[in-house]
Amino acid sequence: MFAQLGGWLRGSRFGLFSLALVVGVGAGLGAVAFRYLVNGVTWLATGHAEFGQDGRIPSDHLPWLGLASYIVIPALGGLVYGPLVYRFAREARGHGVPEVMVAVAEQGGRIRPRVAVVKALASALTIGTGGSVGREGPIVQIGSAMASSLGQWVRVPESRMRVLVACGASGAIAATFNAPITGVFFAVEIILRELAGEALFAVMLSAMVADAIAVPLLGAQPFLVGFPRTTVMHHPANYILVVVLAVIAALIGQLYSRVLYGLEDVCDKLWGKRPEWARPIVGGLLVGLLLLAIPQLYGVGYPVMFKAVAGDYALWFLVLLMFGKILATSLTLGVGGSGGVFGPSLFIGLMGGTAFGVVVDHLFGPAAGDPALYAAVGMAGVFTSSTRAPLSGLASVVEMTGDFALTLPVMLTVAVSTAISRAISYGTIYTTKLLRRGQDIERTAPWRAFTDLTAVGAMRRLRTPLPVPTEKVAEGRTPTQFDGDVVAVRDPQVVFESESIVDVLRHLERHRRDGIPVLSEDGLQITGWVTNRSILQTIRRRLALSEAEAEKSPDTEETVGRSPMPGYQVLEVGVTADSQLAGHELRTIDWPAGAVAATVIRDDRHRHADDAIVLRPGDRVGLLVRS
């Protein structure tokens, strides 16, 4: 029964949608739990669920420290989360989204399950003790790790694993910000970086379910509840001011990204080879000194954003907060903190946009429009420039403010900001982290042209499919009734029929295989055998077909060593000069029951196990056999 259920979940379209629904429930509950966890840590440290917006006041729980609490609290936080991250999941350090992106692009969507727990604790400690970072990066990594864990447990193919990871990201964003459309665009633009109908529906389903779970617990109001929703464009000429601000915001977004990684380099150089687990402790003291100077930079800072857009801060202080947030976020991450860069980009953009609104209001009066309009434009411009995700930028500002009258100016802003970002830099605030490690996931994107080619189209189909045993089998048993020497024994890695050729090639390379079995979609039968050669032949045929059509036209923690198919082994039987195998056609050989010839290795080249092939001394026959 469980085998049939697993096969249905892995192979059917509705199985994918069912998994997406479960991921949405998990992401919604995870986002709510993480929100309360952050607020709880903040309360333990300061006596308030949110802190910093009231200026330089001491912690209610540490009154004897006075203002020194601003310095001590971040260091105490680093004392806890530094060893936690270093010991259990080092990928939980930083802003998290790049790790999810590379997991989808190069690791088949596999993320270690422990990452969800470690990331939640480390980020909550970082934010709650003053780290000037956002919640979106952690919750994306948490939701994605939960989804990946579910996918690994069900043993879904890599192509579907990536979709599930994107579902986890979309659900997490949707539930965190009460912004399901933003969640969908974020998952498609940044995580998957491609659009397919089935995947899109799964991502949308996950975002919808996650948001529906979170709304009764967190409220149905727009996330930026303090943002005025009466902004209007008084005159078409205001679009000129919008374009000017979009250019400025795009440049600020680029500055934000450059300072983030530049300060990280400085921190790396100054820290040297000292123990990494201690880095957040010493770095926390530096973050604390900055918070002592500008306490409004404590944590995520959404209440400070509301006060800014309400007109409570002078022009010079808005500019100070904008540049201060760039420095504070960069320093928090540079010293080893864990948190996102999405929230800070909104903070930076709002401060810059509001400052611009104050200036144009002074120059042009009421005709310039409400400064809140420019606050929204600033948020969209900085976020889009740093991430180069225009659809996510548009949806996030409109959904999070709840003001759909902002659609046109924000749409213009993200278009301008994207163009400037592409002209200035190759990487984004997310991909630059990977580029610095030598991982260019953008340049691997052309391989996605082959993702419509699957294992079933490249494999050599077995004459009779072999059943996959569902019962536990004894380990270490090897058939011995062969007229020839068994020269190699190994556990088989497998792929599913629906897995793309790119994923199959990744398996062949990682596990050092020249051929692997192919499972049916329900995982109950071995239907074929796929090799490097068969894949190359399939690609060649497809390319030749494309060329012919063009002439007629007038105009995707790896599990090395894990065998997901118990009960079978791959044997290589050597053919010697005195063997009865030599000189016989493959079809005439009576192999033991349950053994199937899958490949013939001759002169170190793998050949299809054609029935008519005549075996020679020195050949090796690859057999798929029951243990």
Side-chain angles (χ1 to χ4, degrees):
M1 175 181 175
F2 289 107
Q4 292 178 339
L5 176 61
W8 180 76
L9 291 173
R10 287 189 292 268
S12 73
R13 177 175 298 176
F14 289 102
L16 173 63
F17 297 157
S18 299
L19 290 173
L21 190 149
V22 174
V23 168
V25 173
L29 294 175
V32 172
F34 183 65
R35 173 89 69 89
Y36 284 121
L37 184 60
V38 171
N39 291 345
V41 174
T42 306
W43 180 84
L44 286 174
T46 66
H48 303 269
E50 294 176 317
F51 194 65
Q53 64 269 21
D54 296 322
R56 197 176 289 107
I57 61 172
S59 165
D60 290 353
H61 288 165
L62 300 170
W64 48 276
L65 280 176
L67 296 181
S69 62
Y70 283 94
I71 302 175
V72 174
I73 289 175
L76 290 176
L79 179 63
V80 180
Y81 71 74
L84 176 69
V85 170
Y86 184 80
R87 172 65 178 83
F88 294 104
R90 299 183 190 181
E91 61 266 48
R93 174 185 169 182
H95 43 107
V97 175
E99 282 69 26
V100 177
M101 295 172 69
V102 78
V104 168
E106 299 183 357
Q107 298 168 8
R110 288 182 173 81
I111 303 172
R112 293 196 297 169
R114 69 172 65 177
V115 171
V117 176
V118 176
K119 188 67 176 182
L121 294 175
S123 297
L125 286 165
T126 301
I127 299 170
T129 57
S132 196
V133 286
R135 290 195 292 247
E136 106 293 336
I139 193 58
V140 165
Q141 196 170 12
I142 293 167
S144 298
M146 292 170 57
S148 180
S149 300
L150 175 63
Q152 292 177 66
W153 182 61
V154 178
R155 289 170 44 205
V156 299
E158 288 190 2
S159 56
R160 291 196 165 186
M161 181 83 80
R162 289 195 293 265
V163 175
L164 285 184
V165 170
C167 288
S170 70
I173 290 289
T176 299
F177 296 120
N178 188 19
I181 300 176
T182 303
V184 171
F185 285 151
F186 187 93
V188 171
E189 276 192 301
I190 296 176
I191 305 301
L192 278 180
R193 298 181 299 116
E194 64 181 4
L195 187 63
E198 187 177 89
L200 179 61
F201 184 85
V203 168
M204 293 173 66
L205 180 63
S206 181
M208 180 274 291
V209 171
D211 196 44
I213 293 289
V215 163
L217 301 172
L218 300 178
Q221 68 274 14
F223 183 76
L224 297 177
V225 293
F227 199 93
R229 288 185 283 279
T230 57
T231 53
V232 294
M233 297 285 287
H234 293 300
H235 194 277
N238 292 151
Y239 283 106
I240 299 175
L241 296 176
V242 169
V243 171
V244 173
L245 177 55
V247 173
I248 296 173
L251 297 176
I252 293 172
Q254 291 298 301
L255 175 67
Y256 173 38
S257 184
R258 301 286 176 91
V259 172
L260 180 73
Y261 290 106
L263 194 54
E264 182 178 300
D265 287 339
V266 172
C267 291
D268 288 342
K269 184 176 181 180
L270 292 177
W271 190 252
K273 297 184 179 180
R274 298 176 180 88
E276 281 297 318
W277 63 265
R279 183 168 169 171
I281 305 173
V282 177
L285 298 174
L286 299 177
V287 173
L289 289 172
L290 183 57
L291 295 177
L292 182 61
I294 313 175
Q296 287 82 2
L297 300 177
Y298 195 106
V300 180
Y302 289 116
V304 178
M305 294 167 61
F306 301 151
K307 296 187 71 170
V309 79
D312 291 353
Y313 298 141
L315 175 61
W316 68 270
F317 195 62
L318 292 170
V319 176
L320 179 65
L321 287 176
M322 180 183 71
F323 288 109
K325 192 69 170 182
I326 294 175
L327 179 60
T329 301
S330 303
L331 184 59
T332 301
L333 295 175
V335 300
S338 177
V341 295
F342 187 144
S345 72
L346 299 180
F347 186 106
I348 295 163
L350 182 139
M351 296 304 166
T354 304
F356 182 86
V358 170
V359 170
V360 296
D361 180 69
H362 179 73
L363 294 176
F364 305 111
D370 193 330
L373 165 68
Y374 301 101
V377 168
M379 286 192 292
V382 172
F383 170 79
T384 304
S385 175
S386 58
T387 63
R388 206 171 299 148
L391 294 178
S392 300
L394 170 62
S396 63
V397 172
V398 173
E399 277 194 299
M400 291 168 66
T401 61
D403 189 354
F404 285 84
L406 294 170
T407 301
L408 291 182
V410 172
M411 189 180 297
L412 175 61
T413 300
V414 299
V416 172
S417 187
T418 300
I420 293 176
S421 176
R422 289 189 180 279
I424 292 178
S425 65
Y426 175 72
T428 70
I429 201 168
Y430 294 135
T431 61
T432 297
K433 183 175 183 179
L434 303 177
L435 288 169
R436 289 153 60 89
R437 297 198 306 231
Q439 296 172 298
D440 189 351
I441 60 175
E442 295 294 340
R443 291 203 183 278
T444 62
W447 283 98
R448 294 182 179 271
F450 292 107
T451 54
D452 60 329
L453 302 177
T454 57
V456 69
M459 72 182 187
R460 181 172 181 81
R461 190 172 292 276
L462 299 182
R463 184 181 305 140
T464 302
L466 300 177
V468 174
T470 56
E471 72 280 359
K472 185 175 179 60
V473 298
E475 299 291 337
R477 296 176 57 193
T478 304
T480 56
Q481 310 90 336
F482 293 99
D483 185 12
D485 297 328
V486 176
V487 296
V489 180
R490 62 177 183 267
D491 292 328
Q493 299 293 330
V494 297
V495 294
F496 289 88
E497 288 182 340
S498 62
E499 291 198 57
S500 72
I501 285 184
V502 177
D503 294 332
V504 176
L505 286 170
R506 186 181 296 117
H507 275 291
L508 291 167
E509 179 184 4
R510 284 182 179 173
H511 303 296
R512 300 182 184 278
R513 300 290 189 259
D514 293 291
I516 46 181
V518 180
L519 293 185
S520 60
E521 287 303 310
D522 57 12
L524 300 179
Q525 290 184 319
I526 306 168
T527 59
W529 189 270
V530 64
T531 65
N532 290 315
R533 184 182 179 189
S534 67
I535 291 175
L536 290 175
Q537 290 175 339
T538 302
I539 293 175
R540 179 181 56 78
R541 287 196 301 267
R542 177 59 64 93
L543 291 176
L545 178 62
S546 299
E547 291 174 0
E549 291 176 347
E551 291 175 0
K552 294 178 183 178
S553 174
D555 306 84
T556 179
E557 176 182 78
E558 64 193 49
T559 53
V560 176
R562 174 176 175 267
S563 175
M565 191 177 64
Y568 279 89
Q569 288 180 317
V570 177
L571 307 183
E572 289 183 8
V573 177
V575 180
T576 60
D578 57 352
S579 169
Q580 295 183 9
L581 300 177
H584 288 79
E585 291 185 351
L586 200 59
R587 68 174 133 220
T588 65
I589 298 172
D590 185 19
W591 301 108
V596 174
T599 185
V600 174
I601 307 169
R602 176 174 294 168
D603 299 328
D604 292 326
R605 293 183 59 186
H606 283 253
R607 301 169 177 265
H608 289 309
D610 294 320
D611 289 343
I613 193 170
V614 178
L615 296 180
R616 305 174 185 171
D619 288 349
R620 288 176 291 155
V621 182
L623 297 175
L624 187 64
V625 302
R626 290 291 297 266
S627 297

